[in-house]
Amino acid sequence: MTQLALVIDLNVCVGCHACVTSCKQWNTSGSAGPLVDFNAYTADPTGTFFNRVLSFEVGDYPDTQTVHFPKSCLHCEDPPCVPVCPTGASYKRKEDGIVLVDYDKCIGCSYCAWACPYGVRELDEKRQVMTKCTLCVDRITDQNLPVAERKPACVMACPTNARLFGDVHDPESEVSVAIRDRGGFPLMPEQGTLPANHYLPRRRNVAQTDPLQVVREQNPLRVDGREPAAGLPLSADWEH
């Protein structure tokens, strides 16, 4: 069975949010939209997004690194959001494994959002229906588009090619080869949902930082290239 999915390379993602904005633009104007935004330019904005990028630092100062972690629906092979839906609005397509929501059946009860361990479903505040990543199903199946453009909007927009798209059940596909050769991993596999989306790990980079240089350059007492010697009173260093 075909299982379409995304493979995201954490080593080259720069956190530019091109995937976020392109996803929002395509889906708010397509079959999944409109995606509402309330108070978009205030201190407490709310809005519906299918894709978000989380950024955080890892390591101990000064040897830290910033990690950008895009996250959207993982299109699980055993999605817990589907069986809890009381109306059958949440479903998984047999032909390509994409998990979707039928807005005509959705009653906005949020059972699926509670069942999802990844927190990637969002209730549209205006329409009161549950929304999520569709892998741009209306785009990837559009026969009027060139074959090269039948990919999710986020994949087309990524400037570093950090996002790959294809059939993870095809061992010779680009995504399967990347997972196999680069040690790709699913998110939170202990949940037993069998996420179709995978991540490629960051490569280990050793920061070349001189701890003494960091301390000295940031010393507020440094004047004209001189600074107090460690362990000595200030007067001993500055009396001449």
Side-chain angles (χ1 to χ4, degrees), residues 143-235:
Q143 300 297 315
N144 293 320
L145 288 176
V147 174
E149 296 182 14
R150 294 177 199 169
K151 300 177 181 179
C154 61
V155 176
M156 297 293 296
C158 181
T160 62
N161 294 320
R163 305 175 75 91
L164 307 176
F165 172 68
D167 180 7
V168 293
H169 282 183
D170 177 2
E172 301 305 319
S173 68
E174 181 184 21
V175 289
S176 293
V177 171
I179 293 171
R180 184 169 62 249
D181 293 350
R182 293 277 310 281
F185 62 93
L187 184 62
M188 297 164 56
E190 68 276 8
Q191 295 295 325
T193 63
L194 303 176
N197 285 8
H198 281 66
Y199 292 88
L200 302 181
R202 288 173 59 86
R203 300 189 182 102
R204 291 183 177 273
N205 295 318
V206 179
Q208 302 296 323
T209 304
D210 183 352
L212 293 178
Q213 184 181 21
V214 173
V215 173
R216 288 173 178 169
E217 288 298 329
Q218 296 183 354
N219 192 336
L221 299 177
R222 184 181 180 89
V223 177
D224 295 332
R226 298 175 60 235
E227 63 185 81
L232 296 178
L234 294 179
S235 58

Side-chain angles (χ1 to χ4, degrees), residues 60-78:
D60 297 319
Y61 178 84
D63 298 324
T64 60
Q65 296 185 27
T66 301
V67 176
H68 304 292
F69 195 90
K71 191 173 72 168
S72 59
C73 174
L74 303 171
H75 298 277
C76 303
E77 299 198 43
D78 187 14

Side-chain angles (χ1 to χ4, degrees), residues 87-168:
T87 65
S90 289
Y91 66 101
K92 185 175 179 67
R93 297 190 355 157
K94 293 182 178 180
E95 62 268 34
D96 51 26
I98 298 176
V99 178
L100 296 174
V101 178
D102 185 338
Y103 297 149
D104 292 331
K105 295 180 180 179
C106 180
I107 58 175
C109 66
S110 296
Y111 282 1
C112 59
W114 296 338
C116 174
Y118 307 104
V120 291
R121 287 184 166 230
E122 300 191 13
L123 185 70
D124 188 281
E125 295 176 276
K126 184 175 182 179
R127 294 180 292 164
Q128 288 297 301
V129 293
M130 193 58 64
T131 62
K132 56 174 291 299
C133 165
T134 67
L135 286 179
C136 292
V137 66
D138 54 337
R139 180 185 181 94
I140 64 176
T141 58
D142 188 349
Q143 300 297 315
N144 293 320
L145 288 176
V147 174
E149 296 182 14
R150 294 177 199 169
K151 300 177 181 179
C154 61
V155 176
M156 297 293 296
C158 181
T160 62
N161 294 320
R163 305 175 75 91
L164 307 176
F165 172 68
D167 180 7
V168 293

